[in-house]
Amino acid sequence: MNIAIIVGSNTDSISVDSFPEWLEDIPDKYFNLSKEKYGAGDYGLASDCGVAYYVKKHAPKKHKIDLLSYKDIQLKKFNEYDMIFGMYEPYYYFTDKRVNKGDPKKALQHFQKYCSIIQQYKGIYDQPLPLIKYILNKKRYLMDCKKIGIPINDTLFYNLRTSNQKNIKGLIEKIQKKCETEWLTSTFITKPEMVGFSKGFQKWKVSELGSKKFKDYIQEMKKSTYPKLLIQYFVPDFEIFNEVRLYWINGKYSHAIGTIIQPDSLNSDWEKISFSYPENESDEGDHVLDMKLMRQLKKYGKKVFDILPKDKHNEYPLIVRTDFGCCLNNKNLCRDYFLNEIEYMPNLFPDYNPYKDPLEAIGKEILRRIKNQ
């Protein structure tokens, strides 16, 4: 079979000093397809390229494995292959300044172009387009999670594509009422749908509603072609307790990482993150996550697969990450975690996994899927 893996995210990297043994011989021609700049002349290998090289190195010789870049996203090129694994997928194409030159309209056009190519492609594309579109529609999956008993943070949704002065006035009134009568807070957050790396995240005071700053922000989010804006209760504990990220490969729990992002680093090029790990997945000296909490979050995470689209072969998604934050705005004596996000091509933090090599784990699952065709 002819198989392609598309790379080029240029992020979520592993430093050369941390390379597992199987990765140490990666040729420059592959390394340069997806690398993250640390400083002058200093780069780490992006995780998408690490996974791709594992597959290329370990695939049976009867299979031809090619690593493609954003320049190869063309239907004619795709149809040269029986299977394509899009580690660099439509969202990355949407945000890639090499492609859209910083023009939001071009960004949306390129996203739509990539999706159209996947639809017309004759072979098997992984992750499947229905899964991609479902998870990018955060309102839909949050409401679906709520229906099946997975706790979520109370959220207002605002349609940016139909936004106008009248709608903005109505939004301001809704937020003010929500904060004063239900959330009982003077602070709330906003974040656009279809973003990553905290882009567009903003914390507000209720007193800023109606200000030029707030209205300009709404216009900027609309100009950026984001579909919706999410407005949520500001969870102060989010800056104190770990956001727990559970990784699932082919629907099975793989491993987890707890993260706390320093608030002053949000929306910056380099987020400052501290890490924790489940007690049974940690090394001596690591910050650990409570095992009782992990058991509860695994139950919630497993339920997520009840709502996720499967592919035409009834396979679970190649990789999914379920992110849980703390804590819900309630009066329970024990703090309650809630589902914050679902990711279908998540950051793997390959430099910060003492328990499992995520590049190898995903690579092995890709090889299994190739074998089963």
Side-chain angles (χ1 to χ4, degrees):
M1 282 199 303
N2 291 334
I3 296 147
I5 305 174
I6 308 174
V7 301
S9 64
N10 294 329
T11 189
D12 188 37
S13 59
I14 182 170
S15 60
V16 174
D17 291 342
S18 299
F19 277 9
E21 187 175 346
W22 60 264
L23 189 53
E24 291 175 352
D25 64 348
I26 184 170
D28 288 346
K29 67 177 181 179
Y30 297 137
F31 189 107
N32 291 331
L33 285 174
S34 192
K35 59 186 182 181
E36 183 173 18
K37 189 171 184 177
Y38 295 160
D42 187 18
Y43 294 88
L45 179 72
S47 61
D48 58 356
C49 203
V51 171
Y53 185 64
Y54 183 90
V55 175
K56 184 171 181 65
K57 185 172 183 176
H58 294 89
K61 292 183 178 179
K62 64 180 179 179
H63 299 308
K64 178 177 180 259
I65 311 289
D66 288 342
L67 274 60
L68 305 183
S69 76
Y70 70 94
K71 297 177 182 178
D72 298 303
I73 298 173
Q74 303 290 338
L75 181 58
K76 183 178 179 181
K77 185 67 175 178
F78 274 35
N79 281 333
E80 294 176 12
Y81 298 94
D82 303 293
M83 295 184 74
I84 294 177
F85 293 90
M87 307 301 292
Y88 175 99
E89 40 76 38
Y91 172 74
Y92 280 119
Y93 206 46
F94 171 69
T95 59
D96 196 333
K97 291 183 179 179
R98 296 171 299 179
V99 177
N100 58 54
K101 311 301 182 186
D103 184 334
K105 290 183 179 179
K106 286 184 179 179
L108 183 59
Q109 289 169 1
H110 282 104
F111 174 81
Q112 293 168 340
K113 171 192 169 183
Y114 198 154
C115 292
S116 177
I117 289 172
I118 295 171
Q119 285 179 315
Q120 297 175 73
Y121 169 53
K122 296 176 183 178
I124 297 170
Y125 183 92
D126 212 346
Q127 305 262 38
L129 189 58
L131 177 75
I132 292 172
K133 289 188 172 182
Y134 181 82
I135 293 181
L136 287 177
N137 187 335
K138 195 165 184 178
K139 178 181 180 180
R140 183 178 174 187
Y141 79 66
L142 284 177
M143 293 300 96
D144 286 348
C145 284
K146 186 177 181 179
K147 287 176 186 176
I148 62 172
I150 299 174
I152 63 169
N153 194 13
D154 194 19
T155 306
L156 293 172
F157 300 93
Y158 179 68
N159 190 334
L160 288 166
R161 290 177 177 167
T162 59
S163 177
N164 55 40
Q165 291 302 317
K166 183 178 179 180
N167 291 345
I168 293 174
K169 183 180 178 182
L171 173 66
I172 290 171
E173 291 172 354
K174 284 182 180 179
I175 296 173
Q176 189 159 6
K177 182 179 179 181
K178 198 79 167 173
C179 289
E180 292 177 353
T181 64
E182 294 183 43
W183 294 344
L184 305 178
T185 181
S186 61
T187 311
F188 64 96
I189 63 164
T190 56
K191 52 186 177 182
E193 191 177 64
M194 212 169 118
V195 297
F197 306 99
S198 304
K199 290 180 180 176
F201 175 90
Q202 190 72 40
K203 183 164 69 173
W204 303 91
K205 294 289 185 183
V206 173
S207 58
E208 294 179 283
L209 284 169
S211 66
K212 183 178 184 300
K213 178 184 174 182
F214 184 76
K215 292 177 180 178
D216 286 349
Y217 168 82
I218 299 290
Q219 291 302 113
E220 181 61 29
M221 295 301 99
K222 179 178 180 176
K223 182 181 175 182
S224 298
T225 70
Y226 299 130
K228 299 183 191 73
L229 187 70
L230 281 66
I231 303 96
Q232 295 179 324
Y233 167 78
F234 169 63
V235 182
D237 292 335
F238 214 88
E239 299 175 355
I240 303 170
F241 293 93
N242 281 284
E243 181 176 17
V244 184
R245 306 164 189 259
L246 280 67
Y247 292 85
W248 306 81
I249 297 176
N250 191 34
K252 296 178 182 177
Y253 174 78
S254 173
H255 61 287
I257 296 178
T259 61
I260 299 176
I261 302 175
Q262 291 186 22
D264 61 358
S265 72
L266 288 169
N267 281 320
S268 67
D269 291 336
W270 289 97
E271 292 179 340
K272 298 174 184 177
I273 306 175
S274 61
F275 295 90
S276 301
Y277 308 92
E279 189 175 349
N280 63 335
E281 301 175 16
S282 61
D283 287 336
E284 186 176 348
D286 287 334
H287 295 288
V288 297
L289 299 169
D290 179 72
M291 292 307 296
K292 183 178 179 181
L293 170 65
M294 287 304 304
R295 286 191 291 271
Q296 180 62 65
L297 298 186
K298 284 180 185 179
K299 288 180 182 178
Y300 287 145
K302 191 65 180 175
K303 287 182 74 174
V304 165
F305 291 92
D306 293 341
I307 63 171
L308 295 182
K310 293 182 182 178
D311 67 15
K312 59 185 177 183
H313 302 288
N314 211 34
E315 285 260 37
Y316 285 107
L318 169 66
I319 173 76
V320 164
R321 195 182 76 198
T322 52
D323 296 351
F324 293 91
C326 187
C327 308
L328 282 175
N329 182 25
N330 59 29
K331 295 183 180 180
N332 291 348
L333 290 176
C334 295
R335 293 181 172 91
D336 294 322
Y337 271 70
F338 59 89
L339 180 78
N340 188 43
E341 286 185 315
I342 303 172
E343 302 278 1
Y344 65 88
M345 198 57 71
N347 277 0
L348 304 176
F349 302 108
D351 252 345
Y352 302 96
N353 270 281
Y355 177 73
K356 178 166 286 192
D357 177 354
L359 309 181
E360 179 180 354
I362 297 170
K364 284 183 175 179
E365 174 58 20
I366 289 175
L367 289 173
R368 185 194 71 81
R369 292 181 177 222
I370 292 170
K371 181 180 178 180
N372 286 352
Q373 292 306 311

